[in-house]
């Protein structure tokens, strides 16, 4: 098991590739990396439309240390036949967010709570561009459901394209 900053990987190669990708995002193609630049052409194209913090969050989501317990999602655990969403505060106190029928539902609620408490740079289970981050952060109460999600667009190749072309209407 190999650790990079805040992430855990089973193999050295995987850790080295994660480092390389972060270095390329932050420092560009002149960064000193472990493997040839030509190995990362697909990833370089993918990272072009992402902010630095968002791309590093995707790398963290792929690390071995990200998923905890039985669930493949951060902040989600089994509770009988249902899935429970839990988040820890800065004071290391657990807040139970509820139980849900699927892991994905619980993961979305965790994400909303993480964005609410940590802002747009929160490490989430799904890309933050899936959520209306500004609305979540500006609301006094923790909210969920479709109000916090960005409307999905058919034929949208990336979250960035969806964000640039949409206006979000929040019901009263």
């Amino acid at each position: 098991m190999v650790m990079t900053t805040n992430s855990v990987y089973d193999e050295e190669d995987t850790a080295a590739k994660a480092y390389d990708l972060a270095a390329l995002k932050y420092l560009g193609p002149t960064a000193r990396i472990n493997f040839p630049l030509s190995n990362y052409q697909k990833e370089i194209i993918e990272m072009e439309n992402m902010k630095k913090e968002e791309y590093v969050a995707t790398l963290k989501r792929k690390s071995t240390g990200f998923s905890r317990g039985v669930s493949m999602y951060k902040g989600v655990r089994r509770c009988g036949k249902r899935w429970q969403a839990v988040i820890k505060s800065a004071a290391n106190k657990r807040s139970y967010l509820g139980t849900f029928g699927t892991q994905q539902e619980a993961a979305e609620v965790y994400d909303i709570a993480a964005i609410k408490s940590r802002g747009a740079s929160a490490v989430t289970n799904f890309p933050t561009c899936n959520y209306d981050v500004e609305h979540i952060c500006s609301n006094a109460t923790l909210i969920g459901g479709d109000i916090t999600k960005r409307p999905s667009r058919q034929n949208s190749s990336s979250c960035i394209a969806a964000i640039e072309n949409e206006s979000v209407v929040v019901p009263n």
Side-chain angles (χ1 to χ4, degrees):
M1 194 169 294
V2 178
M3 287 185 63
T4 61
T5 306
N6 296 325
S7 297
V8 178
Y9 297 91
D10 287 334
E11 303 291 328
E12 287 181 22
D13 284 359
T14 309
K17 288 175 185 173
Y19 168 84
D20 286 357
L21 292 170
L24 289 169
K25 182 63 180 173
Y26 275 83
L27 305 173
T30 59
R32 293 186 68 185
I33 56 178
N34 297 293
F35 301 103
L37 183 62
S38 60
N39 289 9
Y40 301 113
Q41 295 309 311
K42 183 179 129 197
E43 290 87 350
I44 290 171
I45 292 168
E46 289 173 0
M47 71 173 73
E48 284 177 356
N49 293 327
M50 292 183 170
K51 294 178 185 174
K52 292 175 182 177
E53 297 81 12
E54 186 178 4
Y55 189 72
V56 170
T58 64
L59 293 175
K60 287 180 179 181
R61 279 193 286 277
K62 294 175 185 175
S63 75
T64 308
F66 184 77
S67 56
R68 310 280 193 267
V70 176
S71 176
M72 59 187 275
Y73 297 107
K74 183 174 182 67
V76 177
R77 62 185 184 188
R78 179 69 94 172
C79 183
K81 292 185 178 183
R82 297 176 55 81
W83 296 93
Q84 185 177 56
V86 180
I87 192 166
K88 285 186 180 178
S89 68
N92 214 21
K93 183 177 179 181
R94 284 191 182 129
S95 294
Y96 295 90
L97 306 171
T99 55
F100 304 89
T102 67
Q103 293 183 65
Q104 293 79 9
E105 289 173 316
E108 287 176 355
V109 170
Y110 170 87
D111 287 356
I112 293 165
I115 292 167
K116 181 74 179 160
S117 65
R118 298 180 185 110
S121 63
V123 176
T124 57
N125 292 297
F126 305 106
T128 55
C129 62
N130 291 356
Y131 303 101
D132 187 349
V133 174
E134 185 178 320
H135 182 69
I136 293 168
C137 292
S138 66
N139 229 308
T141 59
L142 187 60
I143 55 175
D146 293 334
I147 294 173
T148 58
K149 292 183 189 173
R150 292 192 172 277
S152 61
R153 294 228 180 243
Q154 290 182 337
N155 302 326
S156 176
S157 62
S158 73
C159 293
I160 300 302
I163 291 169
E164 290 172 350
N165 297 320
E166 73 184 24
S167 59
V168 178
V169 178
V170 179
N172 292 333

